[in-house]
Amino acid sequence: GYKFDILTKFGSQIKIEVGITYKGITKVQEKDSSVNFINKVLVDSLQQFDLIQMYYGKRLDMQNIIYRVFKREFRKLNLNVESAILRDINFPKEAKILINRFSDLEMNYYNVLLIIDNRTKEIEEILQTHQDLSEIEVSELKRELYVLEHHEYVRKIYDEQILDLLKQGLSNPNGQ
């Protein structure tokens, strides 16, 4: 496997390990020279991702970039790359702290959405099955239902907290 030091979008350093399978024969010096060039290309190509993206949903995108870069550069050496697999991403301690804080915040957000969804269903059921409710009770339940169905404010608060967390993590990665 090959190991590379990569800078993220916001300047955090991570280490990745890539496993390559290929066919063909070339001189070791040519391959090593090509891998050194690939290192520069990968650093530039993967720098578009931030820590959270690397940790969560962009691993496949990263792997596709790695495969394309190795395939293109090894082809110049008459080597046919069969696979390039992103084996491991090693995050520094401060990045893991930031990612855990992000994960906690995200979990809280989804818990709030679940509570909103459950309460919405509960109110809809009450309105359908309890015909003996007073006009005031029906009005209050419909008002609550309207608020629950228009919960964009919850998303706005979550987005603001994520931005604050990212800013805080970037300026103070240890969370102190």
Side-chain angles (χ1 to χ4, degrees):
Y2 298 97
K3 294 183 181 185
F4 301 98
D5 291 330
I6 304 291
L7 288 177
T8 67
K9 184 177 187 174
F10 297 115
S12 297
Q13 186 167 347
I14 63 162
K15 296 179 185 299
I16 65 170
E17 183 179 346
V18 178
I20 304 292
T21 58
Y22 59 88
K23 288 185 179 177
I25 300 173
T26 191
K27 294 178 183 170
V28 173
Q29 300 94 333
E30 288 177 350
K31 189 174 77 170
D32 289 346
S33 175
S34 187
V35 169
N36 288 335
F37 178 75
I38 287 171
N39 186 35
K40 181 182 177 350
V41 174
L42 283 181
V43 167
D44 292 343
S45 299
L46 297 178
Q47 198 168 12
Q48 64 182 298
F49 302 109
D50 63 37
L51 284 173
I52 304 301
Q53 291 172 323
M54 288 181 173
Y55 189 78
Y56 284 103
K58 298 296 182 177
R59 190 177 181 113
L60 183 59
D61 293 343
M62 292 171 62
Q63 184 164 308
N64 288 336
I65 289 169
I66 291 166
Y67 175 76
R68 285 193 309 268
V69 168
F70 267 93
K71 186 172 181 84
R72 181 182 65 231
E73 295 307 316
F74 273 31
R75 185 180 303 134
K76 295 173 186 175
L77 302 173
N78 294 318
L79 298 174
N80 182 26
V81 173
E82 295 176 337
S83 69
I85 298 171
L86 178 56
R87 287 186 184 161
D88 190 28
I89 303 175
N90 188 353
F91 295 96
K93 180 182 173 186
E94 60 272 5
K96 291 176 184 176
I97 291 169
L98 179 64
I99 289 166
N100 286 337
R101 290 169 54 201
F102 172 82
S103 181
D104 290 344
L105 183 59
E106 188 175 41
M107 183 62 80
N108 288 336
Y109 171 72
Y110 286 114
N111 283 336
V112 168
L113 289 182
L114 182 62
I115 290 167
I116 288 171
D117 187 55
N118 288 338
R119 180 62 181 152
T120 299
K121 288 176 183 174
E122 181 183 351
I123 291 171
E124 288 171 344
E125 183 180 322
I126 290 171
L127 287 171
Q128 289 175 357
T129 59
H130 292 82
Q131 302 301 322
D132 57 341
L133 296 172
S134 70
E135 285 184 38
I136 294 172
E137 290 171 321
V138 169
S139 175
E140 288 299 316
L141 287 171
K142 285 183 177 181
R143 186 181 336 222
E144 184 179 353
L145 188 59
Y146 176 82
V147 169
L148 292 172
E149 288 174 343
H150 297 86
H151 61 271
E152 295 89 8
Y153 185 68
V154 173
R155 180 66 196 196
K156 182 180 180 224
I157 291 171
Y158 169 76
D159 289 344
E160 289 172 359
Q161 288 178 340
I162 290 295
L163 286 174
D164 288 345
L165 179 62
L166 287 173
K167 289 176 189 173
Q168 185 180 58
L170 296 173
S171 63
N172 186 12
N174 293 316
Q176 298 170 350

